[in-house]
Amino acid sequence: MIRNVVIVGGGTAGWMTATYLKETFGDGLHVTLVESAGVPTIGVGEATFSTVRHFFDYLGLAEEQWMPACNASYKLAIRFENWQGRGEHFYHPFERLRTANGFTLADWWLKLGPHERRFDESCYVLPALCKARRSPKHLDGTLFEESLHDGGDRPRRSTMFQQDTQFPYAYHFDAALLARFLARHGAAQGVRRVLDDVVEVRRDEQGDIAQVVTKEHGPLDGDLFVDCTGFRGLLINQTLGEPFESYRDVLPNDRAVALRVPADAERDGTAPYTTATARDAGWIWTIPLFGRVGTGYVYASEFCTPEEAEADLRAFVGPRAADAEANHIRMRIGRNRRSWVRNCVAIGLSSGFVEPLESTGIFFIQHGIEQLVRHWPDRADGSAFARGYNESVARCLDGVREFLALHYKAATRSDTPYWKAADERPLPDGMADRMRSWQAKLPSGDSVYPYYHGFESYSYTVMLTGLGRAPSRSHPALDLLDASAARARFAEIRRQADRLVAELPGLHEYLEHLHR
């Protein structure tokens, strides 16, 4: 069996991998992580999927243990602003659509709701919590779903968030602080940390990696090597020569500039959502942390220079950006043809990356680690395990590529050269046919990308509807159905939203309570 793993590269990817493997295999696996003191973490304030809670639960880390150490906050949704060029906004929440008479409320909204309330406010509870800047938890730590009821005095578990439904929140956190926290946790688990520079990678006669040689600690031997060296792909690309397949024909954004800016949460509160604001040559993220805000401009270099992007970002942020140092980032958009080659597995940016529009960076890391454990090889023959791993990782990345392509293809603006070009770019194979079908019928489980990639049909529905690309009429079957159950569902959502806004504490109030 594989007994000795060497992880090259720290940061979020390296330390998530090290701690997860050590938690899984314990003393049966020797884990060494080598990282350079001179290579900074790229993450500048991360937003995540709701599935990341499984990672912390697996390690046995409660929120009160790790969140204060990482300036972490809660995320209920992504707020998209100005994607139609008119200053409008809508929310993509962590909340599945409810149903009535076998059809989703999105279908019913097309028939009953467009002239009354906005789609997201009609069909979901979470946008109201976002608008009011509420925490998803009460001050005693109970999740808001446990307090929902349909009137009367007897609480019951909400039909909105049963165990088989979307978990209602994710996190924002400082990626550098999380890496430090996990490094301390990994040391307590028995992970060996080598703080040094890798100066050489040696291969054996079969072509596998035999050793990485460090400047001060000499050679490090391993059975399996994990490449967490970011966009440079030291092991997977530079040493093993694995080809990288670009997504830039579909997703052209290849640069970002980021700022860390102060926030006055006492005055303004803390927003429980990530904001993605469309700009002339890309979009700006706003990620509220405890004590500050992480913000950055993601753009395409063919339409914008680094100087122009930084100036636009600083103008967007305003006076708070005056003393903030800009971090300019070149992004490698796409994936390796294979992320597992010989005895090397690439995880994180060294494996693949799409732009951070839907907060998938940490998700890709977590997915890669979990798939590595599920495909764990023996020394005799790892080819079948590697094949399954590579198929899973490729499908996941390709699926997210398609979902992000939908954002640009469906965006109804053409006021700059960047946005004009967005509508003319090619789509991934098969996606054009799917988009044509969505002009007549909202997406369903069998009409989105056919492989797991974290996004379900309701996410596609949110984007199409929020961007003004929903079908022009409701599903024909609804003309034959009684609408009373759907109307009751819409009313239930409004009652629940109003009650939760009144009951829940503000997010900043809860975070201050958590930090005590």
Side-chain angles (χ1 to χ4, degrees), residues 231 237 242-254 301-302 331-338 351-355 397-398 401-402 425-428:
F231 290 134
N237 302 121
E242 185 63 15
F244 183 81
E245 299 178 349
S246 175
Y247 288 165
R248 284 198 60 197
D249 59 331
V250 173
L251 300 173
N253 292 343
D254 59 346
S301 59
E302 63 180 300
M331 300 185 299
R332 187 178 71 157
I333 305 301
R335 64 170 173 84
N336 293 319
R337 184 183 60 185
R338 298 172 298 171
S351 168
F353 185 64
V354 297
E355 61 171 278
L397 281 153
D398 289 350
R401 173 189 61 171
E402 173 169 308
R425 287 195 177 88
L427 291 171

Side-chain angles (χ1 to χ4, degrees), residues 106-119 122 465 470-474 490:
D107 290 298
W108 283 107
W109 180 84
L110 286 175
K111 183 173 179 61
L112 304 174
H115 304 297
E116 299 178 8
R117 293 166 63 92
R118 223 172 53 201
F119 164 76
S122 297
T465 306
S472 58
R473 59 156 296 176
S474 60
F490 287 127

